[in-house]
């Protein structure tokens, strides 16, 4: 774990920063004086005042005449000159330079003289400065009220007497250790170090040994931890090279920055404000590398501002000599309109958290994302009321277990892979369980105050909740308030780290075990997998993760099965064998890599039939997306169909019709669902998009056409934009910006093995020839470039192609005549699939299925709709029939049907028959209801005991996935997973 660029960058910072080196010189000088005072031979004559001055008081630097030296004067001295002045006697130090002097840590550990007799203090110090075993016993005694000095003062004394062996222990150093753990992606299990001196000492020694000599002793470790504790919360920045030369030079700087682990700017003026902003960036901050028109990489800062030698031979290094160290995660993402105005124009700009996470989410399928950014997201807190907790604590199913929560969100939304903590309210309140978010939000409610749905996977439940007022937590959670039921709260990264340490919840690393062609028996909780010699590099990574208790694995069966079979915790790795505590997926439904769009198997999955076995890293996002599908659903509303058969079953239509839609869409690339209003065209298009993208909302987009929708909105165009001009004055520029479709295609081009679906609602309401422009050729010939009407970016490309993995799914209302008919050239590019209310095999079947599930006592409404359309078609034609969506309302009954007729359908018929009101006499609601009930009764008699042909009744789901076909069998779960 110590082969981390972040750790190496911090060591480089400690090694080269003059301020750190000056403070280290002062600490060593103060330690030399205090060590003479604390010699065992002098302890019998120790004076309490001298003890306080040398050990517990803050250090000062004095001149030979006794006047203090200012901080500014010290900063002007080089470390070597300061060392010479101390050696010659020009300067001297008093007090303890290691005592907090910044006000950011704990108060001075000063014993009270009136309560500390000198003889008692001397005896205690003699014991404290004895053998290591006797010293630790004295430290344990210092935890009691009877001890003359506290643990912090004990650690100060020990470190002053022997900095090679002892470290300084106080809340400030613990905070620095916790901050380091966050920077290292939680790769160190230092939970006990917060409350126990021995564990803290072990962590400090581990840091010293891992530095390979850079941190010479524990005084140096202490200084590093103090510097880390002084850092604030992580901020986000954008850095661009800022070169005024050709674009090729900027690209060369970017490549060198990625390879060298730094970010650089090249201002000509030394007073440029970009330099000042670059100097404000601190280790641990988040960074975006901005290239023209796109994001080149994201990363975490490892080393603050520094400059390279201005006389170096390389001219490119000379120009970009002002730098910060960065651990990069490379990529090439289109930022769209996320960075606007001045954020695009200046070299160094601070970003808002929302803007940064919008960019960072584009990289979440990279395993490096979990190491760099996942620790910064903190955790979600879900409140359990008394009834909810009673239900959870009474579960008979083993963990892990999937469930769906109804929560009210304000602002930020959960992401797949985020940590969720269960907070028990009432009784004995406290943190009572751990879970993971395994799928994003369901359909967003229109009302901001309404509840949203999110799926979680319970991993651990505690019988004794952890109180937020408990030891070691009261300070970090002092201002935190638990959420009320249906609300959710956010914990910061620091608070989450504290709680996870106390709960024993270590961070996770995720892998996939690829098995070659044959199913591995998974009848036992532990199963052994073998991987080949080509996996040596990844197997070492897996072995390290297992040793740290972090390894989580998916099992993927290669050809001929090509499916994910289960997941679990790897418990041992030896000689190319991994033993896994396995939880098999309950359904064998062919979870293929291509169907889920997992990034790790783009190459390896296609070669699984040739490679016997392998192990590969995977991101938490991909891991939990697969788990979400494999563990079944927690509720029907937020579920994602995993196969075309399941999609048909959920919708209530025949499988062959849905297979036909998919076949036509994939073959042609563009498909339009057309029919009268209310036939569920948009709903079905969105369900198809969910199925085709595996429920990944980032690979879907919905746009709605209207008469004002233009080429500039869809393809590209010139748009005015306010920017900050010279001298702080506002200015207006007119850049060429990509539209919705071009932006969507650029994102899809970066992930060619995943399916991306653009849904165009009401496609016929815009002037399509104007909106699509050159796309008529690009849609038909995928991959072929066409010349665009504008230049997309200054110096950028002007040619564009539609990637083969982009599917366009449109809906068209046949009753809407507000726009002219489709251009015949464009019509030829699309496949048209009809959805009419009188289609008994598909549309009526879906409506009957909805009635069976949601309004079983109102099944006669399907007959009512059929009777209405039979009378309506001879009058107005098939394009103006009435769809079933009018009746898909909660609590459907005869009274609700009459309301719908009176206020929605009757006004529609009046518009149809404007000028001939006598034709409305054929549409009497009482007569229609009688006819519908008569039809329904006769149909029930003839079909009693048999299912309707061509469809299956959808399954009902509890809010907690506890049915046998959606949870592991008994004994197959891992309670500590």
């Amino acid at each position: 774990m110590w082969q981390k660029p972040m750790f190496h960058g911090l060591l480089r910072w400690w090694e080269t920063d003059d301020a750190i080196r000056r403070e280290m010189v002062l600490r060593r000088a103060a330690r030399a004086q205090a060590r003479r005072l604390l010699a065992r031979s002098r302890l019998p004559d120790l004076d309490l005042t001298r003890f306080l001055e040398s050990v517990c008081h803050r250090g000062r630097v004095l001149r030979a005449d006794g006047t203090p030296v200012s901080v500014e004067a010290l900063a002007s001295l080089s470390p070597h000159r300061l060392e010479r002045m101390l050696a010659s006697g020009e300067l001297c130090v008093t007090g303890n330079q290691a005592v907090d002097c910044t006000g950011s840590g704990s108060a001075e550990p000063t014993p009270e003289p009136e309560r500390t007799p000198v003889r008692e203090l001397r005896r205690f110090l003699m014991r404290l400065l004895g053998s290591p075993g006797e010293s630790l016993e004295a430290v344990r005694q210092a935890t009691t009220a009877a001890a003359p000095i506290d643990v912090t003062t004990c650690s100060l004394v020990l470190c002053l007497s022997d900095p090679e062996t002892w470290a300084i222990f106080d809340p400030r150093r613990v905070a620095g250790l916790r901050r380091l753990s966050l920077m290292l992606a939680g790769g160190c299990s230092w939970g006990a170090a917060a409350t126990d001196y021995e564990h803290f000492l072990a962590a400090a020694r581990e840091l010293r040994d891992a530095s390979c000599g850079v941190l010479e002793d524990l005084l140096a470790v202490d200084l590093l931890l103090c510097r880390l504790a002084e850092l604030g919360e992580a901020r986000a920045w954008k850095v661009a090279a800022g070169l005024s030369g050709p674009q090729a030079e900027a690209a060369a700087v970017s490549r060198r920055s990625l390879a060298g682990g730094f970010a650089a700017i090249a201002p000509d003026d030394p007073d440029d404000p970009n330099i000042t902003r670059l100097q404000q960036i601190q280790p641990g901050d988040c960074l975006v590398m901005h290239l023209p028109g796109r994001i080149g990489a994201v990363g975490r800062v490892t080393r603050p501002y520094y400059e390279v030698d201005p006389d170096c031979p390389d001219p490119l290094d000379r120009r970009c000599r002002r730098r910060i160290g960065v651990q990069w995660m490379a990529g090439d993402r289109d930022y769209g309109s996320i960075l606007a105005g001045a954020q695009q124009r200046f070299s160094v700009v601070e970003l808002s958290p929302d803007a940064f996470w919008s960019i960072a989410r584009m990289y979440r399928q990279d395993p490096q994302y979990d190491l760099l950014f996942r620790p910064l997201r903190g955790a979600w807190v879900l409140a359990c009321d008394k009834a909810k907790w009673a239900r959870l604590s009474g579960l008979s199913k083993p963990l892990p277990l999937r469930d769906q929560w109804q929560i009210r969100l304000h602002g930020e939304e959960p992401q797949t892979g985020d940590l969720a903590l269960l907070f028990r309210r009432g009784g004995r309140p406290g943190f009572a369980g751990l879970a993971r978010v395994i799928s994003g939000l369901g359909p967003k409610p229109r009302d901001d105050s309404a509840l949203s749905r999110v799926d979680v996977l319970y991993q651990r439940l505690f019988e004794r909740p952890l109180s937020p007022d408990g030891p070691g937590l009261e300070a970090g959670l002092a201002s935190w308030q638990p959420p009320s039921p249906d609300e959710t709260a956010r914990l910061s990264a620091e608070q989450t780290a504290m709680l996870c340490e106390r709960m024993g919840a270590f961070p996770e690393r995720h892998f996939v075990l690829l098995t070659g062609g044959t199913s591995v028996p998974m009848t036992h909780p532990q199963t052994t997998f073998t991987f080949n010699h080509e996996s040596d590099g990844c197997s070492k990574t897996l072995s390290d993760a297992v040793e740290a208790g972090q390894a989580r694995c998916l099992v993927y069966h290669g050809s001929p099965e090509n499916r994910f079979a289960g997941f679990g915790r790897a418990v041992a790795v030896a000689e190319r064998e991994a033993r896994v505590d396995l939880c098999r997926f309950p359904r064998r439904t062919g979870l293929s890599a291509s169907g889920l769009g997992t990034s790790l198997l783009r190459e390896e999955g296609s070669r699984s039939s040739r490679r016997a076995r392998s192990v590969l890293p995977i991101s938490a996002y991909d891991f939990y997306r697969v788990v979400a599908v494999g563990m079944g659903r927690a509720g029907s509303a937020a579920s994602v169909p995993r196969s075309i058969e399941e999609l048909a079953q959920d919708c209530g239509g025949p499988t062959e019709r849905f297979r036909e839609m998919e076949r036509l869409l994939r073959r042609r690339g563009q498909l339009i669902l057309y029919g009268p209003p209310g036939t569920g065209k948009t709903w079905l298009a969105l369900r198809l998009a969910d199925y085709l993208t595996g429920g990944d909302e980032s690979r879907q987009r919905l746009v709605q056409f209207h008469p004002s929708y233009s080429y500039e909105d869809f393809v590209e165009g010139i748009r005015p934009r306010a920017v900050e001009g010279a001298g702080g004055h506002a200015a207006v520029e007119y850049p060429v910006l990509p539209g919705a479709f071009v932006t969507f295609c650029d994102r899809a081009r970066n992930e060619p093995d995943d399916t991306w679906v653009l849904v165009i609602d009401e496609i016929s309401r815009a002037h399509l020839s104007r909106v699509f422009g050159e796309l008529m050729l690009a849609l038909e010939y995928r991959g072929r470039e066409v010349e665009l009407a504008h230049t997309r970016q200054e110096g950028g490309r002007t040619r564009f192609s539609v990637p083969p993995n982009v599917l366009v799914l449109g809906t068209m209302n046949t009753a809407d005549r507000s726009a002219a008919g489709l251009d015949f050239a464009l019509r030829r590019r699309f496949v048209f699939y009809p959805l009419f209310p009188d289609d008994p095999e598909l549309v009526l079947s879906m409506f009957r299925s909805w009635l069976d599930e949601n309004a079983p006592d109102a099944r006669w409404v399907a007959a009512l709709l059929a009777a209405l359309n039979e009378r309506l078609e001879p009058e107005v034609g098939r394009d103006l029939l009435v769809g079933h969506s009018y009746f898909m309302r909660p609590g459907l009954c005869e009274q609700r049907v009459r309301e719908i007729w009176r206020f929605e359908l009757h006004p529609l018929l009046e518009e149809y028959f404007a000028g001939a009101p006598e034709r409305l006499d054929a549409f009497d609601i009482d007569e229609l209801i009688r006819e519908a009930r008569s039809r329904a009764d006769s149909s029930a008699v003839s079909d009693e005991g048999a299912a309707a042909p061509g469809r299956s009744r959808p399954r009902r789901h509890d809010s907690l996935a506890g049915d046998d076909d959606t949870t592991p069998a008994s004994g197959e779960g891992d309670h500590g997973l």
Side-chain angles (χ1 to χ4, degrees):
M1 75 181 195
W2 296 111
Q3 304 301 317
K4 291 180 180 289
M6 176 69 72
F7 184 62
H8 293 167
L10 294 174
L11 293 180
R12 186 66 175 162
W13 168 38
W14 188 93
E15 191 177 29
T16 59
D17 189 277
D18 280 349
I20 293 177
R21 293 165 62 198
R22 277 193 298 271
E23 187 169 347
M24 198 65 205
V25 170
L26 296 176
R27 285 192 175 200
R28 295 191 189 282
R31 188 198 68 81
Q33 293 185 7
R35 188 176 185 182
R36 289 192 293 270
L37 176 70
L38 294 172
R40 290 179 64 87
S41 59
R42 299 187 180 185
L43 286 180
D45 301 323
L46 181 67
D47 178 74
L48 179 61
T49 302
R50 293 186 62 195
F51 174 79
L52 294 178
E53 290 178 352
S54 300
V55 176
C56 303
H57 287 177
R58 294 174 180 173
R60 293 188 302 164
V61 181
L62 305 176
R63 294 187 177 89
D65 58 2
T67 58
V69 181
S70 66
V71 176
E72 293 77 10
L74 281 176
S76 65
L77 301 175
S78 69
H80 295 294
R81 184 181 177 190
L82 178 62
E83 195 169 7
R84 289 196 301 270
M85 294 178 73
L86 288 170
S88 64
E90 294 180 60
L91 298 177
C92 64
V93 295
T94 63
N96 187 352
Q97 296 288 332
V99 172
D100 176 28
C101 58
T102 64
S104 60
S106 61
E108 292 185 25
T110 305
E112 300 178 15
E114 66 274 9
R115 294 184 55 191
T116 308
V118 175
R119 282 196 293 267
E120 183 180 345
L121 176 63
R122 291 168 180 167
R123 285 197 300 268
F124 185 84
L125 291 177
M126 288 289 290
R127 185 181 180 194
L128 182 67
L129 297 174
S131 63
E134 191 176 8
S135 299
L136 288 176
E137 185 59 35
V139 171
R140 295 189 189 100
Q141 180 186 345
T143 59
T144 65
I149 56 178
D150 58 15
V151 175
T152 300
T153 309
C154 288
S155 68
L156 283 171
V157 171
L158 290 172
C159 188
L160 289 172
S161 62
D162 188 359
E164 297 287 343
T165 308
W166 305 101
I168 301 175
F169 174 68
D170 69 355
R172 184 186 183 200
R173 274 77 178 180
V174 171
L177 190 66
R178 186 173 289 119
R179 179 62 55 86
L180 178 60
S181 180
L182 286 174
M183 290 183 175
L184 299 181
C188 310
S189 55
W190 294 328
T195 55
D196 184 87
Y197 179 59
E198 294 180 57
H199 286 88
F200 176 83
L201 192 60
R205 291 170 179 170
E206 184 181 359
L207 287 176
R208 178 197 59 192
D209 298 339
S211 72
C212 300
V214 176
L215 303 176
E216 301 174 12
D217 53 23
L218 295 184
L219 272 180
V221 173
D222 178 79
L223 184 54
L224 175 63
L225 294 181
C226 289
R227 282 290 187 267
L228 293 175
E230 293 168 6
L231 300 177
E233 292 293 328
R235 299 160 71 183
W237 305 82
K238 181 221 76 175
V239 173
L243 294 170
S244 57
Q247 185 175 350
E249 190 175 6
V253 170
S254 300
R255 289 193 298 269
R256 186 166 298 184
S257 299
L258 290 175
F262 63 85
I265 59 174
D268 298 325
D269 183 2
D271 297 326
D272 193 305
N274 286 303
I275 300 176
T276 303
R277 286 191 287 267
L278 192 69
Q279 292 170 342
Q280 297 174 3
I281 301 177
Q282 295 295 324
D285 285 356
C286 303
L287 207 66
V288 167
M289 180 189 290
H290 180 222
L291 301 177
R294 64 190 189 278
I295 297 301
V298 292
R300 297 282 304 282
V301 179
T302 61
R303 182 182 176 189
Y305 179 84
Y306 68 98
E307 295 184 11
V308 299
D309 186 358
D311 298 326
C312 63
D314 193 318
L316 203 58
D317 281 342
R318 287 199 303 271
R319 287 206 63 189
C320 297
R321 61 189 182 88
R322 299 179 174 93
R323 301 176 177 180
I324 54 175
V326 185
Q327 181 177 352
W328 288 115
M329 185 168 68
D332 189 357
R333 302 292 191 270
D334 192 330
Y335 64 88
S337 59
I338 296 175
L339 302 182
Q343 291 182 343
Q344 295 184 18
R345 296 172 64 88
F346 295 108
S347 296
V348 183
V349 176
E350 184 172 4
L351 301 179
S352 68
D354 290 341
F356 173 77
W357 289 114
S358 296
I359 295 171
R361 276 196 296 269
M362 301 179 188
Y363 296 78
R364 60 188 173 181
Q365 286 185 296
D366 191 321
Q368 282 289 106
Y369 178 88
D370 300 323
L371 301 178
L372 291 178
F373 303 115
R374 186 73 68 179
L376 297 180
R377 286 194 55 80
W380 297 86
V381 180
L382 306 176
C384 298
D385 56 19
K386 184 177 180 180
K388 182 75 172 180
W389 180 250
R391 188 180 181 201
L392 289 178
S393 58
L395 287 174
S396 59
K397 297 286 184 180
L399 299 182
L401 190 64
R402 179 173 180 166
D403 194 8
Q404 186 180 95
W405 280 70
Q406 306 285 334
I407 59 176
R408 184 174 286 107
L409 292 173
H410 303 286
E412 191 176 3
E413 299 175 358
Q415 293 184 18
T416 299
D418 281 356
L419 180 66
L421 303 178
L422 307 182
F423 188 86
R424 176 184 173 183
R425 298 180 61 90
R428 184 175 181 175
F431 296 94
L434 296 169
R436 285 283 176 181
V437 177
I438 60 174
S439 65
L441 296 177
K444 295 182 182 179
R446 296 180 180 179
D447 186 1
D448 291 339
S449 63
L451 300 180
S452 300
R453 294 179 295 271
V454 63
D455 285 352
V456 301
L457 187 74
Y458 298 131
Q459 295 182 322
R460 194 178 303 171
L461 300 175
F462 304 104
E463 293 183 3
R464 298 174 61 87
L466 180 64
S467 172
D469 300 327
L473 298 179
E474 65 277 1
L477 298 175
S479 60
W480 182 81
Q481 294 295 326
S484 58
D486 297 335
E487 295 285 345
T488 185
R490 289 285 282 150
L491 287 172
S492 67
E494 296 281 358
Q495 293 171 328
T496 302
M498 291 170 50
L499 284 167
C500 289
E501 287 171 356
R502 294 296 308 278
M503 293 179 172
F506 300 113
E508 299 174 352
R509 302 282 300 276
H510 303 91
F511 302 86
V512 165
L513 298 174
L514 292 173
T515 65
T518 57
S519 298
V520 177
M522 293 192 291
T523 56
H524 301 288
Q526 282 200 359
T527 306
T528 300
F529 299 89
T530 305
F531 36 84
N532 60 14
H533 66 279
E534 298 180 24
S535 303
D536 285 348
C538 290
S539 63
K540 177 62 168 63
T541 306
L542 175 63
S543 179
D544 293 342
V546 168
E547 185 177 352
Q550 301 173 332
R552 303 293 184 268
C553 295
L554 288 171
V555 177
Y556 183 81
H557 290 164
S559 178
E561 291 190 43
N562 294 322
R563 70 180 186 92
F564 290 98
F567 73 109
R569 177 170 58 95
V571 295
V573 175
E575 297 181 357
R576 297 178 186 155
E577 285 188 351
R579 192 166 72 252
V580 181
D581 278 344
L582 200 63
C583 173
R584 66 179 177 85
F585 290 144
R587 295 177 178 172
R588 304 175 63 85
T589 53
L591 300 173
S592 66
S594 60
L596 290 169
T598 50
S599 57
L600 81 144
L601 293 177
R602 289 174 183 164
E603 214 176 291
E604 287 79 2
S606 62
R607 300 185 296 181
S608 59
S609 59
R610 300 198 302 270
R611 300 175 65 178
R613 289 175 174 85
S614 183
V615 56
L616 299 165
I618 185 176
S619 67
Y621 175 74
D622 277 336
F623 181 90
Y624 285 106
R625 284 176 61 211
V626 175
V627 171
V629 178
M631 291 294 288
R633 71 191 70 189
S636 58
S639 62
V640 177
R642 297 167 293 177
S643 64
I644 198 67
E645 291 80 10
E646 185 172 337
L647 174 63
Q649 188 175 20
D650 287 347
C651 296
T655 302
E656 186 53 41
R657 293 290 294 271
F658 286 89
R659 187 175 287 116
E660 184 179 48
M661 290 183 210
E662 182 187 14
R663 183 171 62 250
L664 292 171
L665 178 59
R666 290 192 182 277
R667 185 178 65 190
R668 190 63 170 169
Q670 298 83 233
L671 182 142
I672 291 178
L673 302 174
Y674 73 99
T679 50
K681 299 179 294 296
T682 303
W683 178 84
L684 183 57
L686 294 175
R687 290 296 289 168
L688 278 168
D690 272 342
Y691 160 67
L692 294 168
T693 61
D696 187 353
E697 294 181 2
S698 67
R699 293 189 280 121
Q700 306 174 33
R701 182 160 186 177
L702 172 66
V703 296
Q704 189 175 56
F705 280 8
H706 49 80
S708 298
Y709 206 83
S710 65
Y711 176 89
E712 289 73 17
D713 297 318
F714 196 61
V715 183
E716 67 171 8
I718 299 173
R719 303 175 193 172
R721 184 172 58 189
V723 298
E724 183 180 349
H729 300 292
V732 179
E733 62 179 15
Y734 300 89
V736 176
L737 297 179
F741 185 68
V742 171
T743 301
F744 188 75
C745 289
D746 286 343
R747 292 172 54 201
R749 194 174 289 108
N750 293 325
E751 299 182 21
D753 294 328
D754 293 337
T755 299
W756 294 61
V757 180
L758 178 72
V759 178
I760 304 176
D761 194 28
E762 301 289 357
I763 191 172
S764 61
R765 298 191 67 231
H767 196 302
L768 296 184
S769 298
R770 292 180 180 177
V771 171
F772 278 88
E774 305 90 350
L775 296 185
M776 285 196 288
L777 178 63
L779 286 172
E780 185 170 10
Y781 299 99
R782 295 299 182 94
R784 179 171 179 173
E785 291 187 339
V786 296
E787 191 81 20
L788 295 180
H790 305 286
T791 301
R792 292 182 51 205
Q793 292 289 332
E794 184 178 354
R797 55 187 170 90
T798 61
R799 301 184 68 83
F800 171 76
S801 64
V802 179
N805 62 325
V806 171
L807 303 179
V808 180
L809 189 55
T811 67
M812 187 174 72
N813 191 344
T814 56
D816 185 6
R817 297 188 175 91
S818 62
L822 287 180
D823 185 287
F824 283 102
L826 188 61
R827 180 182 290 272
R828 189 171 60 84
R829 270 73 179 181
F830 285 84
V831 175
F832 290 79
Y833 201 91
L835 290 178
F836 284 87
D838 58 353
D839 181 354
E841 188 182 38
L842 180 60
V843 180
L844 275 178
S845 177
M846 290 193 295
F847 184 39
R848 292 191 184 102
S849 177
W850 183 88
L851 291 172
D852 290 342
E853 181 71 15
N854 298 278
D857 295 333
R859 294 188 180 97
W860 55 272
V861 179
L864 171 68
L865 181 63
L868 172 62
N869 284 322
E870 287 175 3
R871 300 185 183 190
L872 193 59
E873 184 176 1
E875 300 285 345
V876 297
R878 198 168 181 234
D879 287 344
L880 297 180
L881 297 181
V882 175
H884 57 270
S885 297
Y886 285 99
F887 299 99
M888 296 178 68
R889 309 292 169 82
L892 188 65
C893 60
E894 182 172 336
Q895 180 182 357
R896 183 63 58 86
V897 170
R898 291 182 180 275
E899 289 180 356
I900 294 170
W901 178 268
R902 181 181 176 187
F903 298 108
E904 298 183 50
L905 292 180
H906 196 268
L908 177 67
L909 296 180
E910 288 178 338
E911 183 177 350
Y912 282 175
F913 301 127
E918 67 279 359
R919 298 168 68 183
L920 285 171
D921 296 340
F923 300 90
D924 180 70
I925 185 59
D926 295 324
E927 183 180 345
L928 287 170
I929 290 177
R930 284 195 299 271
E931 181 180 347
R933 287 189 178 277
S934 176
R935 286 190 184 186
D937 292 341
S938 60
S939 176
V941 171
S942 61
D943 294 342
E944 185 176 0
R951 64 185 177 95
S952 301
R953 181 175 299 182
R955 301 176 301 277
R956 296 180 182 271
H957 303 283
D958 297 325
S959 64
L960 189 67
D963 51 321
D964 291 337
D965 63 341
T966 58
T967 53
S970 178
E972 292 172 352
D974 177 11
H975 294 265
L977 193 61

